[in-house]
Amino acid sequence: MTGVVRPYRGVAAETRREQRRKDLIDACLDLVDESGVGAVTAEAISARAGLSKRYFYESFRDRDAILIAAIDSVLGPMGTELRQELARCGSTDERVERVARVLVRTFTADRRVAALYTSAPGNSALAARRREMIDEFTPTLVRDVLRADPDDPRALATTLLMVAGTTEVLDRWLRGDLALDEAEFIRTLTALGRRLAAP
């Protein structure tokens, strides 16, 4: 006989589970920002979130799983915002600028997110997720920025160069290697993207 899961203090079990998951991801981001990816363990995250470790394993298989969930919690909304913004744009130049603006704003709105993003090369799971991100965004950008066929090899090559190059340049800028303020960096990304996107 299956037991009935009753609300606790008026809050449904699924709602409590989702809140615990969110609290664990927030704790993970805090730890990455303060001490780096090496500080991320199930024990440390659970303690930071004020939860028993069993709740960690209720939502995540291991530390790599929560790191990926943390970066996806940012990339998912960013993808949605990009699609909405691009739908309002006319020219290719305008679409390139809008992509640069959304991208930079995503990673500067929360310094914990920037810390996680720049940690990717040192963690195999995060590095793999960043590569997957390039593969996922590329066809969308071919269609919505260049307004080209994703099967067109020239358009695909151009967009791959734009996405992979932007990924690396963004990483360097977030690390402080490029002495540009946010507005200058957006203008630089936009100018480079427009050159690549030119017929």
Side-chain angles (χ1 to χ4, degrees), residues 10-196:
V11 182
E14 184 59 31
T15 302
R16 296 198 309 274
R17 208 164 19 245
E18 284 302 312
Q19 185 59 52
R20 286 194 294 267
R21 188 177 192 277
K22 180 180 181 302
D23 291 344
L24 288 163
I25 288 175
D26 280 340
C28 175
L29 288 169
D30 285 343
L31 286 169
V32 170
D33 182 42
E34 293 169 8
S35 307
V37 170
V40 174
T41 64
E43 293 81 2
I45 291 171
S46 301
R48 182 63 179 253
L51 294 168
S52 163
K53 197 165 73 169
R54 76 181 177 90
Y55 288 124
F56 177 93
Y57 290 109
E58 172 187 70
S59 295
F60 305 103
R61 182 183 67 255
D62 53 27
R63 82 181 202 122
D64 284 348
I66 194 171
L67 287 168
I68 291 171
I71 202 165
D72 282 351
S73 72
V74 178
L75 297 179
M78 184 182 77
T80 300
E81 184 182 2
L82 271 176
R83 284 187 289 274
Q84 292 170 346
E85 289 285 332
L86 291 172
R88 293 194 284 266
C89 294
S91 67
T92 299
D93 281 358
E94 187 182 1
R95 291 192 294 272
V96 169
E97 188 273 339
R98 203 63 58 89
V99 170
R101 190 170 298 280
V102 169
L103 184 66
V104 173
R105 189 170 60 225
T106 296
F107 288 98
T108 56
D110 185 342
R111 72 177 196 178
R112 302 176 309 166
V113 172
L116 182 65
Y117 184 80
T118 56
S119 296
N123 177 274
S124 58
L126 281 175
R129 184 67 190 106
R130 214 160 84 162
R131 285 192 299 272
E132 288 170 5
M133 177 188 76
I134 292 172
D135 291 340
E136 289 169 9
F137 276 111
T138 297
T140 299
L141 294 178
V142 171
R143 285 190 301 268
D144 298 339
V145 175
L146 299 184
R147 296 285 171 86
D149 180 353
D151 292 328
D152 176 353
R154 183 186 182 281
L156 182 59
T158 299
T159 310
L160 277 170
L161 184 58
M162 290 170 68
V163 176
T166 299
T167 298
E168 180 63 22
V169 171
L170 177 65
D171 184 282
R172 297 296 182 94
W173 180 70
L174 291 171
R175 291 175 188 272
D177 294 344
L178 298 174
L180 298 168
D181 64 27
E182 184 172 327
E184 290 172 324
F185 184 61
I186 290 171
R187 285 196 296 270
T188 300
L189 280 183
T190 300
L192 292 171
R194 285 172 176 171
R195 288 176 193 170
L196 284 170

